[in-house]
Amino acid sequence: MFANVGTMATGRVVASSLIWIASLIIVRSLSPVDFGKFTFIFSILGMLSIITDLQIGRIAVVRLSSGLNDPGRFGGNYVLLRLALGVVGYALAVGFVAAAGYPADVVRATAVAGVVVVVATPANAYNAVFEARMRLRPIAFATALGAIGQLALTAAIAAAGGTFLLFAIPVVLCELLEITSKAAAAHRVMPLRYRIDLPEWWSLIREAVPLSVGAGLMLVYYRIDAVMLTKLDSFTAAGAYGVAYKFVDLAHSASLYVGMAVLPLLARTWPHQPAAFRAATGRAAFLLSVLGGLLVCEFTVFAESVIRTLYGARYAPAADAARLVVASECVAFFTFLAFNCLVAAGRNRRYPLVTLLGLLVNVALNLVAIPRWSYLGAAVSTLVTDVLVCVLMTLLLRRIPGMRPLPTPPWLRVLCAAVCGAVVGWALARFTFWPLAAIVTAVVYVAVLRALRALWPRDGDPGEAGGTPAYPSGTEDK
């Protein structure tokens, strides 16, 4: 699990760096209004995973990990299903912006950018093959390759004085490069055969209904903030919030890649090895707590400096919103971990109720907060909602046999390390360049964790019942 997370993290660092440079080029090339439109379009496209994913991918990973008589046929059929869902999603995106009365340039840009959905949906379907075989390196390589192409084309369009419509094209190129690379690698891992099997499509969709409804509602309450800002405030506010959310996308990679690495382990150990199931959950929770503590520490101190350097002084007021949404995402780390556990254990029927409540709470809070505090109010609403949803998901996780008591990461030691790192970073930032201060902050954070013996789980085989704890524990953490 740790090796796969490390591989994905390395690929993500490379890809994120390149895509971030591309986003900087776009931000500095467009007016705040046009960048707000750009942010709105991709918020709409992001919400389309309600249709294009349906969380079938997690069901596919579980089936491929559990053993199938003909995995190649199943995998090919699954890719074709996702392609069909991508086409449906594209039609819905273009139809929505046209019917909602948005400007003509927004409709045209959505028609271009929406091709991303058609290509990315089957491209992501190939991930199930790599996850089930616990070989995540091809995903990391494809992500980096796509980012290189996206950055190159973005720079060329900016040099030619491109519009926000043209800036949507590099994202399409990114996905085309990714699907080409993934398809070639997937066939080396598994002999995929592309045959449409409608009964199997229906079986997958039926099994994924609770997951898709719940995940769809969760996605809406993450993305609806930007849409509500365009209606209750302005495209400029949506653009500023989009800058803050760039850091959330980076932070989300942690929970995404840990989930990709741990789900096959959970599927292989449930239900015959409950101790191993709990141990894998504990190791994932430990890793997420360490990563989350570092992210909160860094963004608490350096959010404004990062935004000023990368996006310019006009977006500096979004620093507080960035701090809040990054903290919110770190809370959501454990929501996503609980979600993977429920999927592996087949106990996901109450999940949609939790996310429906989260959506209703988020929308209600936004209706009150956005008119008063603009995008900062949207950030506060997101944080409150994520805390509520995380608590409810934890209660569902406790209902899985063998999960009591729940694995508890070393919260106090992580908090102590984060405070020490933040204090040192804040002091250094007074008289030195902020990147150097940020590096020292991370070093101090890791050093304090190591000194407190909370940097790594204890040795032990999580696959054996009765093994050692999946993380260091102490009475102060309980």
Side-chain angles (χ1 to χ4, degrees):
M1 182 180 71
F2 288 107
N4 276 307
V5 171
T7 297
M8 292 299 295
T10 302
R12 181 62 178 177
V13 166
V14 174
S16 294
S17 300
L18 298 174
I19 292 175
W20 226 332
I21 294 172
S23 70
L24 293 178
I25 295 173
I26 294 173
V27 170
R28 295 180 180 273
S29 300
L30 299 177
S31 67
V33 173
D34 281 347
F35 183 67
K37 293 178 179 179
F38 187 85
T39 300
F40 163 74
I41 290 170
F42 281 96
S43 294
I44 292 294
L45 296 179
M47 286 192 290
L48 282 177
S49 64
I50 300 171
I51 304 298
T52 60
D53 185 3
L54 297 178
Q55 296 302 309
I56 296 175
R58 299 181 187 275
I59 302 298
V61 171
V62 171
R63 289 193 182 184
L64 289 170
S65 300
S66 302
L68 291 172
N69 292 331
D70 193 350
R73 183 199 59 79
F74 174 83
N77 185 46
Y78 166 63
V79 171
L80 293 177
L81 170 58
R82 293 293 301 277
L83 174 61
L85 293 174
V87 173
V88 173
Y90 175 83
L92 290 175
V94 177
F96 170 77
V97 293
Y102 283 98
D105 59 346
V106 173
V107 176
R108 289 193 297 270
T110 304
V112 174
V115 178
V116 168
V117 177
V118 179
V119 180
T121 304
N124 290 334
Y126 285 111
N127 291 356
V129 174
F130 304 121
E131 290 180 50
R133 295 296 183 263
M134 300 188 72
R135 298 179 184 179
L136 302 187
R137 185 176 300 175
I139 303 177
F141 175 79
T143 303
L145 178 64
I148 293 172
Q150 180 177 342
L151 174 58
L153 186 54
T154 299
I157 291 174
T163 64
F164 80 94
L165 186 152
L166 292 177
F167 279 122
I169 297 176
V171 187
V172 177
L173 174 63
C174 173
E175 297 300 338
L176 288 172
L177 292 173
E178 284 197 27
I179 192 172
T180 302
S181 176
K182 288 180 180 178
H187 280 272
R188 291 193 294 269
V189 174
M190 183 181 297
L192 298 177
R193 299 194 306 280
Y194 299 97
R195 299 288 187 275
I196 294 178
D197 186 342
L198 294 180
E200 192 165 61
W201 283 16
W202 173 242
S203 173
L204 283 167
I205 293 173
R206 186 176 63 248
E207 186 176 349
V209 165
L211 297 179
S212 59
V213 172
L217 292 171
M218 178 173 284
L219 180 64
V220 169
Y221 91 64
Y222 273 119
R223 298 292 182 178
I224 202 170
D225 295 358
V227 178
M228 294 183 72
L229 279 167
T230 65
K231 294 296 186 181
L232 299 177
D233 199 327
S234 64
F235 278 112
T236 301
Y241 193 66
V243 167
Y245 239 84
K246 292 293 183 182
F247 305 104
V248 173
D249 294 336
L250 176 63
H252 181 66
S253 301
S255 61
L256 175 64
Y257 296 149
V258 171
M260 292 171 67
V262 77
L263 181 57
L265 296 176
L266 296 173
R268 293 174 184 180
T269 55
W270 181 262
H272 305 295
Q273 297 176 284
F277 185 93
R278 183 177 180 276
T281 304
R283 290 183 181 275
F286 174 90
L287 182 56
L288 289 173
S289 67
V290 171
L291 294 174
L294 178 60
L295 287 170
V296 171
C297 173
E298 294 281 5
F299 277 93
T300 298
V301 180
F302 302 108
E304 183 174 350
S305 299
V306 173
I307 291 175
R308 283 183 179 275
T309 302
L310 298 180
Y311 298 102
R314 63 183 175 181
Y315 291 108
D320 286 336
R323 294 183 178 100
L324 288 171
V325 293
V326 167
S328 175
E329 179 62 27
C330 291
V331 172
F333 281 0
F334 304 96
T335 298
F336 296 133
L337 176 58
F339 173 66
N340 280 294
C341 292
L342 294 174
V343 172
R347 295 173 173 264
N348 46 49
R349 295 190 178 276
R350 295 188 180 183
Y351 173 63
L353 298 177
V354 173
T355 52
L356 175 60
L357 178 61
L359 173 61
L360 295 176
V361 169
N362 192 43
V363 170
L365 291 174
N366 278 332
L367 289 173
V368 175
I370 289 178
R372 295 185 180 183
W373 301 294
S374 188
Y375 53 82
L376 184 62
V380 172
S381 300
T382 298
L383 178 59
V384 172
T385 305
D386 272 329
V387 171
L388 172 64
V389 171
C390 185
V391 170
L392 295 177
M393 289 293 288
T394 300
L395 295 178
L396 291 182
L397 188 60
R398 284 171 52 87
R399 298 173 65 89
I400 297 179
M403 287 299 293
R404 294 188 181 184
L406 287 178
T408 306
W411 298 118
L412 291 181
R413 284 175 272 186
V414 168
L415 177 61
C416 179
V419 170
C420 292
V423 170
V424 172
W426 178 85
L428 286 176
R430 302 306 94 189
F431 59 85
T432 188
F433 194 35
W434 72 262
L436 176 60
I439 293 173
V440 175
T441 297
V443 171
V444 171
Y445 176 82
V446 172
V448 173
L449 283 180
R450 183 175 180 84
L452 296 176
R453 298 183 180 180
L455 186 59
W456 198 259
R458 291 178 182 174
D459 293 335
D461 182 5
E464 295 179 3
T468 58
Y471 45 84
S473 61
T475 55
E476 72 276 15
D477 299 320
K478 299 178 182 177

